Amino acid sequence: MITKRNATLVGLIAVLLWSSIVGLIRSVSENLGATGGAAMIYSVASLFLLMSIGFPKLREFPRQYLIWGSLLFVSYELCLALSIGYANTSQQAIEVGMVNYLWPALTMVCAILFNHQKTSWLVIPGFIISILGICWVLGGDQGLDLASMWANIQNNPLSYGLAFIGALIWAAYCTVTARIANGKNGVTLFFILTAVALWLKYLFMGAEPMHFDLHALVYLTLAAAAMGFGYAAWNVGILHGNVTLLAGASYFIPVFSAALAAIVLQTSLSIAFWQGAAMVCIGSVLCWVATRQK
């Protein structure tokens, strides 16, 4: 029987796996294209999930969860993968990934508004600090500079827009499924649906050709493993481990993600970027503390 300590360790491994996703998705998209690369990642990740978690018994799932969970999950994953794949440069991909990490603060706000989650005044400075952190990141070397931030967004509004929409969708997913999932986990089904949606986009909406080589295959395997096994490991952690420790660790994913992406993509990031990333983490933690019941 798995111990609480080992389960917590497995959950922490999930945090590290998820932190590597931005750099790995970008590496795959550079070889296989934004759409084709994402389609391959979710296809292989679906196989990993089938091996580790298995396919769920859909008849036991609430119908509302299957419908809304599928729609929101697939929409989010499309926004995440394509926003990173469509980035013009590696640094922009890391910035886009940081915008996506607004979802923890947005999730807390949604839980307060729609799930009547009890909270304290800390949620207000927490949310403001998270937003300022993203503005700080997008301002470039100048930090909080609205003109630089706007110019940066105008350089690639599609990527930044998809990342922000994705953060909103994931906040909605977390809020909605908490009410209607009834303890069920449809992640394997959702990954398969995401792969199907990406392949349909690839086939019918036109996409760049995929170029396979050893480099592409290695990063594809790593990205799919980080996606698939990340969810599997997190499931073990939250069921059998220290949930408080895991939740706290998950809010530092933005910093871990930026650090790993910078290494994988061989990109140097400015002091202003790290300041903004730290602000996003601090804001998310404050929102989390604000909603914890005594």
Side-chain angles (χ1 to χ4, degrees):
M1 182 176 179
I2 188 170
T3 65
K4 184 174 183 178
R5 179 180 177 182
N6 290 338
T8 303
L9 179 60
V10 172
L12 291 175
I13 291 174
V15 172
L16 292 177
L17 290 173
W18 282 337
S19 297
S20 67
I21 285 174
V22 172
L24 294 174
I25 289 178
R26 179 63 184 180
S27 297
V28 173
S29 67
E30 289 176 349
N31 291 277
L32 306 183
T35 303
M40 288 296 301
I41 289 172
Y42 284 93
S43 297
V44 179
S46 296
L47 294 177
F48 288 155
L49 282 169
L50 286 170
M51 291 187 295
S52 58
I53 296 180
F55 194 79
K57 298 178 180 179
L58 299 183
R59 285 179 294 182
E60 299 177 358
F61 281 52
R63 181 172 297 180
Q64 279 191 319
Y65 172 59
L66 286 176
I67 295 172
W68 288 107
S70 298
L71 179 63
L72 293 171
F73 189 98
V74 172
S75 299
Y76 167 73
E77 297 295 341
L78 291 177
C79 287
L80 172 64
L82 296 178
S83 65
I84 296 171
Y86 287 148
N88 294 329
T89 64
S90 295
Q91 177 161 339
Q92 192 173 84
I94 298 174
E95 292 177 359
V96 164
M98 192 59 61
V99 173
N100 173 72
Y101 286 122
L102 269 176
W103 69 261
L106 291 171
T107 300
M108 295 302 175
V109 173
C110 287
I112 294 166
L113 294 176
F114 302 109
N115 287 354
H116 308 294
Q117 173 72 49
K118 293 181 180 181
T119 187
S120 72
W121 62 271
L122 282 174
V123 73
I124 298 175
F127 185 73
I128 293 174
I129 290 172
S130 291
I131 295 295
L132 286 176
I134 294 299
C135 294
W136 209 284
V137 166
L138 298 183
D141 295 340
Q142 290 76 25
L144 188 58
D145 186 303
L146 294 181
S148 297
M149 182 184 73
W150 182 243
N152 200 9
I153 294 174
Q154 284 186 313
N155 180 258
N156 191 346
L158 179 60
S159 279
Y160 289 112
L162 284 173
F164 181 69
I165 293 171
L168 291 173
I169 292 173
W170 191 250
Y173 172 84
C174 294
T175 305
V176 170
T177 56
R179 300 174 62 179
I180 64 177
N182 196 26
K184 301 299 181 180
N185 182 6
V187 65
T188 303
L189 169 66
F190 298 159
F191 260 70
I192 293 172
L193 292 176
T194 303
V196 170
L198 285 164
W199 281 119
L200 290 174
K201 180 181 183 301
Y202 183 84
L203 293 173
F204 295 107
M205 298 183 66
E208 59 273 29
M210 294 185 283
H211 302 287
F212 288 94
D213 56 22
L214 181 59
H215 179 271
L217 290 174
V218 168
Y219 278 109
L220 170 60
T221 303
L222 291 174
M227 284 279 196
F229 292 142
Y231 277 98
W234 184 255
N235 194 47
V236 172
I238 62 173
L239 287 176
H240 306 289
N242 187 327
V243 177
T244 302
L245 176 61
L246 293 175
S250 69
Y251 289 113
F252 291 93
I253 288 179
V255 170
F256 299 151
S257 175
L260 290 174
I263 294 171
V264 171
L265 301 176
Q266 299 180 348
T267 303
S268 60
L269 301 171
S270 66
I271 296 297
F273 178 94
W274 292 112
Q275 291 171 339
M279 291 170 69
V280 173
C281 291
I282 292 171
S284 297
V285 170
L286 285 177
C287 289
W288 172 62
V289 170
T291 54
R292 290 198 63 202
Q293 296 182 4
K294 295 182 180 180

